[in-house]
Amino acid sequence: MKSAVETLNPTRVRLTVEVPFEELKDSLDAAYKKINQQVTVKGFRKGKIPARVIDQRFGRGAVLEEAVNDALPKFYTEAVNEAEIDVLGQPEVDITELKDGETLNFTAEVDIRPSLEIPDYSGIEVEVDAVEVTDEDLEKAVEQLRERFASTSPVERAAEDGDVVTVDLQAKVDGEILEDGVAEGVSYTIGSGELLEGIDDAVKGLEAGGEATFTSELKGGSAAGKEAEVTVKVTQVAARELPELDDEFAQLASEFDTLEELKADSRKRLENTKQYDQATQAQERVLEKLLELVEVPVPEKLLEDEVNTRKHNLEHHQLGQMGLDLAKYLEIQGKTAEEFEAETREAAVKGIKTQFVLDDLVKREKLNVNQEELTEHLMRRAASSGMSPDQFAQAVVEGGQVPLLVGEVARGKALALVVESATVKDTNGEVIDLDDEEEETSTEEAAAEAQGDSEGEGEEKAEA
């Protein structure tokens, strides 16, 4: 077999392959054997039909077609390996010449990973938010804790903001009560926004036994997205009572004996959260600077596939779980279809560029992923997915996603190298020394976030 490669553009090549006919022998034998098992000829046992009879009865062309279909993937893969190119997606194959007993010639056009020139990135400088916990931050955190330990007690008065009401609901569409539009004994905190739009105004001012009707767009169920006439009946009004901020509350809500100890611990927790957010912000901004330094051509077909995958995941997974369609989502977001398309394409471009650049760094720096690093990453991914580590690991293995997880860890390590060489200052002008553990976790997350949920789709090396 002889092959040659022609560069069409920085992300696409054409392979020209010439195969001597004798190299098709194994595939021809396999074709005759396969046809033997599929057809019957009077006077011959199944599977024992001579090749000349198959040629006479079914045509040599059918045998050649079967043989070529069997042989193409092997010869294509050999040509790719010989050319030492990193292909993306499926090739477009064109058989240019097929002469029985002489030769098979074909071309294959395919996208490839572009060759990148990554300059010195040690001069990257970024600014991040300073870690500052204000008294207002602390007060808000303690107040949220008080809310968690609030109690309720029934009151004989009209419902007000912040009260917890128990209600019965009935929804009608076009005058008909929905089968799944009736609910009794629903507990709702007025002002929380956790139920239907318009319910707050409807129940405020009602006492137990009071009833009101309002119109609202249903968020889920059989009539999701439709306008419904909703009747709400208040069966109980309860006032929320917050515990006093004292040592007794500290003992109730935490392992501490005094309120001061509780506040000190809350402040420390807020500082840790802000430090983690600061580290994540640093990774994201360093990554943006790195991408600005590198010219990264993006294969058009790969980009189109990535855009379509992101749109599919949003419409059929994320929005579907919320009972929304794309049109309603865009209405809520206040975006036009054109703006959504542009934003999706921009995110897809950034994701592809991020993967190309970080993968190039992984190769250049010879970064490897050990079992411990992979296990730690798997544990974090399992926690964020809501699955147990064993369940998540099983799903990853069964879905053939282990290489993708390895890639995520490796790219996180590559970004960490860049961050280590960068200068990170906060808004106060202080140089930030990121904690190693925080940096390792947040770099993986920053790299994965830039790549998006559909990371790796269409980018595996493909065989015809």
Side-chain angles (χ1 to χ4, degrees):
M1 186 196 81
K2 294 193 302 182
S3 66
V5 60
E6 175 189 357
T7 300
L8 303 178
N9 61 50
T11 63
R12 194 166 179 83
V13 298
R14 179 189 293 122
L15 293 166
T16 301
V17 184
E18 298 179 9
V19 183
F21 203 81
E22 58 266 22
E23 293 188 29
L24 286 173
K25 183 179 183 307
D26 290 343
S27 293
L28 280 169
D29 291 343
Y32 279 116
K33 185 175 181 180
K34 183 176 180 179
I35 294 174
N36 242 306
Q37 300 300 320
Q38 294 175 338
V39 302
T40 57
V41 175
K42 189 176 180 179
F44 296 96
R45 286 182 296 164
K46 195 174 185 66
K48 298 296 183 178
I49 308 170
R52 60 178 176 76
V53 174
I54 290 178
D55 289 346
Q56 292 169 355
R57 296 292 296 270
F58 304 102
R60 175 72 167 177
V63 179
L64 288 175
E65 181 180 356
E66 183 66 38
V68 169
N69 288 339
D70 175 74
L72 276 179
K74 179 185 71 171
F75 293 124
Y76 166 72
T77 301
E78 287 180 8
V80 166
N81 293 337
E82 186 177 288
E84 297 182 340
I85 53 177
D86 198 350
V87 300
L88 303 168
Q90 297 294 333
E92 294 179 5
V93 177
D94 181 27
I95 298 174
T96 56
E97 185 176 25
L98 176 57
K99 290 185 177 180
D100 193 359
E102 295 183 25
T103 186
L104 163 67
N105 297 336
F106 69 92
T107 62
E109 288 191 17
V110 65
D111 288 333
I112 61 170
R113 284 179 181 266
S115 177
L116 304 180
E117 292 292 334
I118 300 181
D120 179 21
Y121 48 76
S122 60
I124 290 178
E125 293 188 11
V126 297
E127 184 180 73
V128 295
D129 297 334
V131 173
E132 296 175 343
V133 178
T134 66
D135 291 342
E136 289 76 16
D137 293 333
L138 179 59
E139 183 179 329
K140 182 179 179 181
V142 173
E143 195 63 25
Q144 289 174 342
L145 190 59
R146 282 182 78 199
E147 293 280 350
R148 287 174 51 193
F149 286 87
S151 60
T152 59
S153 57
V155 292
E156 295 183 2
R157 60 166 172 77
E160 302 173 354
D161 266 327
D163 285 344
V164 178
V165 291
T166 304
V167 298
D168 296 337
L169 298 166
Q170 183 184 85
K172 293 181 181 180
V173 174
D174 298 329
E176 296 290 330
I177 299 175
L178 300 172
E179 288 186 10
D180 56 355
V182 178
E184 296 180 350
V186 177
S187 180
Y188 175 66
T189 301
I190 300 175
S192 66
E194 294 174 352
L195 274 179
L196 298 168
E197 186 176 346
I199 192 172
D200 289 339
D201 291 335
V203 298
K204 278 191 290 189
L206 296 181
E207 298 184 18
E211 190 174 294
T213 300
F214 63 100
T215 300
S216 182
E217 183 178 297
L218 299 178
K219 296 180 180 178
S222 61
K226 293 185 177 180
E227 289 288 330
E229 182 183 87
V230 183
T231 299
V232 56
K233 180 179 180 180
V234 177
T235 59
Q236 178 180 276
V237 179
R240 299 178 76 250
E241 298 176 358
L242 297 177
E244 292 293 329
L245 272 179
D246 52 23
D247 292 346
E248 186 176 339
F249 167 68
Q251 294 163 20
L252 170 68
S254 70
E255 71 272 27
F256 302 107
D257 294 325
T258 68
L259 181 61
E260 288 307 309
E261 289 176 314
L262 171 61
K263 287 184 176 181
D265 181 71
S266 296
R267 183 179 290 274
K268 182 61 178 176
R269 289 175 184 271
L270 288 171
E271 287 176 352
N272 290 340
T273 299
K274 285 179 178 283
Q275 285 172 349
Y276 182 85
D277 291 343
Q278 184 189 64
T280 302
Q281 188 181 61
Q283 325 308 330
E284 293 170 349
R285 293 185 177 178
V286 168
L287 176 59
E288 289 173 1
K289 290 284 188 180
L290 176 63
L291 294 181
E292 289 174 5
L293 292 176
V294 187
E295 184 69 30
V296 186
V298 176
E300 190 58 35
K301 186 176 185 306
L302 178 64
L303 176 58
E304 292 303 320
D305 289 344
E306 179 69 10
V307 169
N308 291 334
T309 298
R310 288 171 181 253
K311 289 161 66 175
H312 177 86
N313 287 344
L314 175 65
E315 290 187 62
H316 298 280
H317 297 293
Q318 295 162 271
L319 296 183
Q321 293 175 355
M322 295 186 288
L324 299 174
D325 59 17
L326 183 59
K328 186 60 181 177
Y329 169 75
L330 294 180
E331 181 184 331
I332 293 172
Q333 294 291 315
K335 296 177 183 175
T336 65
E338 291 75 18
E339 288 172 335
F340 169 71
E341 182 74 25
E343 289 178 5
T344 303
R345 181 169 291 268
E346 182 181 350
V349 168
K350 182 179 179 182
I352 293 170
K353 287 185 175 182
T354 296
Q355 184 163 342
F356 282 175
V357 170
L358 295 183
D359 282 348
D360 195 272
L361 282 174
V362 168
K363 289 182 180 179
R364 189 169 80 172
E365 302 295 341
K366 296 181 174 60
L367 300 176
N368 296 311
V369 177
N370 60 43
Q371 186 60 49
E372 182 181 355
E373 291 168 333
L374 181 60
T375 300
E376 289 177 356
H377 183 62
L378 186 148
M379 298 282 282
R380 287 194 291 269
R381 285 288 302 271
S384 63
S385 71
M387 300 170 67
S388 71
D390 287 344
Q391 290 174 325
F392 187 79
Q394 183 177 353
V396 166
V397 172
E398 291 178 351
Q401 302 297 300
V402 173
L404 296 184
L405 285 188
V406 172
E408 289 176 1
V409 178
R411 285 186 280 275
K413 294 177 72 171
L415 181 54
L417 281 179
V418 182
V419 172
E420 286 174 8
S421 66
T423 300
V424 181
K425 294 182 179 180
D426 66 17
T427 49
N428 295 327
E430 297 291 329
V431 176
I432 305 300
D433 182 17
L434 299 176
D435 177 79
D436 290 341
E437 184 174 343
E438 284 182 342
E439 182 178 332
E440 179 182 352
T441 302
S442 54
T443 45
E444 290 174 14
E445 293 178 352
E449 183 177 341
Q451 292 162 135
D453 294 334
S454 55
E455 171 205 8
E457 295 215 14
E459 294 204 34
E460 295 303 305
K461 286 188 178 181
E463 296 184 1

